[in-house]
Amino acid sequence: MTEAERQAIVAELGRIELSLNDRRLSQTHRFALFGAAAGLRWFLEMDVWEKPSDSLFRLDGLPH
């Protein structure tokens, strides 16, 4: 991974974390953002983070 790619991922994580502070988010959207953040963190530091659970990415069946 290049430094530019790493910086882009870190910037996206920052945007996701800011979005999570929005109290207007539904539980479904918040759950999806948590899953996206977990996936990006895992990608950045595969040797430190556990692989994100596949259940984080399954939104079917969640109340809207």
Side-chain angles (χ1 to χ4, degrees):
M1 170 183 338
T2 67
E3 185 60 29
E5 290 168 333
R6 183 175 183 73
Q7 288 176 356
I9 292 171
V10 169
E12 188 61 31
L13 273 170
R15 286 190 286 278
I16 289 172
E17 289 170 2
L18 286 174
S19 295
L20 286 169
N21 291 324
D22 187 346
R23 294 175 190 227
R24 298 172 294 172
L25 282 177
S26 69
Q27 285 186 357
T28 302
H29 288 111
R30 189 173 306 281
F31 190 74
L33 287 172
F34 275 125
L40 289 174
R41 283 189 199 103
W42 178 78
F43 189 75
L44 283 176
E45 300 174 358
M46 291 179 201
D47 57 333
V48 176
W49 293 90
E50 291 183 27
K51 184 176 180 182
S53 169
D54 290 337
S55 63
L56 288 173
F57 302 106
R58 280 188 239 138
L59 298 177
D60 294 337
L62 288 178
H64 295 281

